[in-house]
Amino acid sequence: MGKKHLLVLFGGCSSEHEVSCRSAVTVIRAIDKDKYELLLVGITKDGRWVKTEKARQIEENCWQQGKTSALLSPEASRRGVWLMDGSGPRFWPVDLAFPVLHGAGGEDGAIQGLLSLAQIPYVGCGILASALAMDKLYTKRIVERLGIRQADFVAVYREELAAGLPGAIARVEEKFAYPVFIKPSSSGSSCGVTKAENREQLAAGLWEAARHGRKILVEETIVGREVECAVLGGPEAQASGVGEVLAAAGFYDYDAKYNNPQSQTVADPELPGDAAEQIRRAAVEIFRAVDGWGLARVDFFVEEKSGGVVFNEINTMPGFTSISMYPFLWEARGMTIEELVERLLQNAGEREE
C-alpha cells in the first residue's frame, strides 16, 4: 500500500495561535514519514490558509510568506485540498487530517464541522464534544449532573458589563469572598485568566476576560495542588497517570505556562489516599459524558486540607509543545511521542470505520 495523504492544520485566528504553531512542530516531527505524505497548511491570524513545506519554517515563524494558498475541496466526493499559486490550481487528495489547532475556530467544533462537511476523517473529538468542552460554562453544567465535585462559579456575560459593571460585581461579592478567579468561558492555554484579590482587580479581570469571549466565569478559589490527567482512545478510552503542575507564578497563567522556565510538571506525584485513582476515573467519566473521542486532558485540583478532588476543566486538543503535560504523561507510561501520534492517527481512522 502507498502512503496515506495527511493534512496537518495549525495556527488559527485565536489567542492561542502561537501555542498551536509550537504544538504543530512537535506533531509534524513525530509523524512517520514512511507511512504518511504530509501537506502542511497554516492558518494566519487574519484567516488565510497558506501551504508551507517544513516544520523548520513554522519554528522560524516565516511560513506566512508562503505563496501557495489552500482551500478544502467543496466536493465531498473528492476529499482533498485545492492548492493555488501563480501556476494555477492543483488538487491534493486527503485521507486524514490532524487539526493541531487550539482555541476558538480550532477546538470549538468549527474546524471539526468543516472537515466533516468535506468528509475528511480527523484526529480528535467531534463537533459536539469540541463545542461542549470548549465552553467551560456548559461543561460545568454537564459535570454537575455526574455528581463530580467542581469549583463553584458565577456566570457573567459581556453585555452585563456594558450595561452596568456594579451589578455583576455585586453578584460575585454576594456569593464569594476574595480572592476569586476570572476566566473566559471559551478560551484555553490560560488566556485571559486572572486572579482578583479585591473589587478593583475583579473589575479589571472581568474586562480582560470579556476581550476573549462573551461568557465569563468567576470561580471560588480552591486552595490545593493543580493536577492533570490525559485521556486517549474511543469508546474504551484509557487514562494516563496523574501529573502535577508546579507553577512558578501565583497560579498557572499563560506566562507561567510558556515563558517561565521555573514552572515544572511532575509525573505520578504522591497524593493523599486514593486521589490519583479518583482523578483517573473522573477524567474518563467526563470524557465520555461530553462524547469525547481521540484525546483530551482533564484538569483537577487536590484540596490542601481535605485531600478532596475538584474538577477544573477539560481540553479536547491539549498542547503538544516541548513542555506540554499531555505527551509528557504518556511518555511517563512508556509511550514515545511518535507512538502517541500514530495512536491518534489510527484512532481517527477507527472512528470513520
Side-chain angles (χ1 to χ4, degrees):
M1 293 181 64
K3 294 182 182 181
K4 286 188 175 181
H5 287 72
L6 173 61
L7 169 65
V8 179
L9 293 166
F10 65 92
C13 304
S14 80
S15 55
E16 298 176 75
H17 176 98
E18 286 79 9
V19 180
S20 170
C21 292
R22 291 167 64 178
S23 291
V25 169
T26 303
V27 168
I28 291 163
R29 288 178 173 160
I31 293 168
D32 186 346
K33 310 306 187 293
D34 292 329
K35 289 185 177 180
Y36 301 95
E37 188 77 30
L38 301 190
L39 175 63
L40 312 181
V41 174
I43 304 172
T44 65
K45 289 183 179 181
D46 60 1
R48 292 180 298 115
W49 288 41
V50 180
K51 176 182 178 292
T52 191
E53 298 296 333
K54 298 178 181 178
R56 180 175 52 80
Q57 292 172 308
I58 307 170
E59 198 169 38
E60 295 175 357
N61 199 30
C62 61
W63 61 270
Q64 299 93 334
Q65 284 73 52
K67 303 298 183 184
T68 303
S69 58
L71 175 71
L72 279 181
S73 170
E75 303 172 70
S77 60
R78 198 176 186 194
R79 301 192 304 194
V81 173
W82 284 101
L83 301 172
M84 291 161 285
D85 54 25
S87 61
R90 62 189 187 278
F91 184 75
W92 203 89
V94 173
D95 298 307
L96 193 64
F98 198 141
V100 193
L101 293 161
H102 308 309
E107 200 175 349
D108 57 3
I111 195 68
Q112 290 77 16
L114 189 59
L115 291 167
S116 295
L117 281 172
Q119 295 190 15
I120 296 173
Y122 54 87
V123 169
C125 288
I127 300 167
L128 175 64
S130 299
L132 284 174
M134 185 69 188
D135 193 316
K136 297 178 180 66
L137 175 58
Y138 282 90
T139 303
K140 279 182 169 290
R141 288 173 176 166
I142 289 170
V143 171
E144 202 167 39
R145 299 182 72 87
L146 297 176
I148 295 171
R149 189 183 164 201
Q150 57 188 329
D152 201 1
F153 66 96
V154 170
V156 178
Y157 295 84
R158 185 163 50 196
E159 53 266 32
E160 283 186 79
L161 306 186
L165 183 61
I169 289 176
R171 285 202 299 118
V172 172
E173 291 183 335
E174 185 178 339
K175 188 160 188 176
F176 300 129
Y178 291 104
V180 293
F181 281 90
I182 309 110
K183 58 178 68 172
S185 182
S186 297
S187 75
S189 291
S190 300
C191 291
V193 179
T194 56
K195 182 180 181 181
E197 303 277 358
N198 53 52
R199 183 174 296 176
E200 291 72 25
Q201 290 179 2
L202 173 60
L206 287 169
W207 282 117
E208 172 60 23
R211 291 179 55 242
H212 297 266
R214 173 177 166 261
K215 286 177 282 188
I216 303 159
L217 291 178
V218 182
E219 293 182 340
E220 66 172 323
T221 295
I222 303 294
V223 180
R225 299 159 69 177
E226 295 184 56
V227 295
E228 302 178 351
C229 185
V231 181
L232 174 64
E236 304 301 323
Q238 297 177 313
S240 69
V242 177
E244 182 173 12
V245 175
L246 303 176
F251 67 98
Y252 206 39
D253 61 4
Y254 184 94
D255 192 59
K257 248 178 208 180
Y258 298 109
N259 300 322
N260 195 326
Q262 294 182 346
S263 291
Q264 298 177 28
T265 52
V266 177
D268 299 311
E270 187 174 337
L271 297 175
D274 66 344
E277 191 53 37
Q278 284 185 52
I279 289 164
R280 295 180 73 250
R281 286 198 305 266
V284 172
E285 189 176 356
I286 293 165
F287 183 75
R288 288 175 176 160
V290 299
D291 195 32
W293 186 284
L295 75 163
R297 193 196 71 236
V298 192
D299 302 349
F300 299 86
F301 298 103
V302 177
E303 278 196 310
E304 191 174 272
K305 290 184 178 179
S306 69
V309 172
V310 183
F311 167 70
N312 182 20
E313 63 184 47
I314 177 172
N315 295 272
T316 54
M317 186 52 72
F320 278 82
T321 72
S322 59
I323 59 168
S324 293
M325 183 70 89
Y326 188 85
F328 172 75
L329 284 172
W330 289 115
E331 185 180 8
R333 286 292 181 271
M335 189 183 301
T336 67
I337 184 66
E338 291 81 9
E339 291 169 335
L340 175 58
V341 167
E342 179 61 22
R343 280 279 296 273
L344 291 169
L345 291 167
Q346 293 294 331
N347 189 249
E350 289 166 8
R351 173 169 54 191
E352 184 184 39
E353 293 167 7

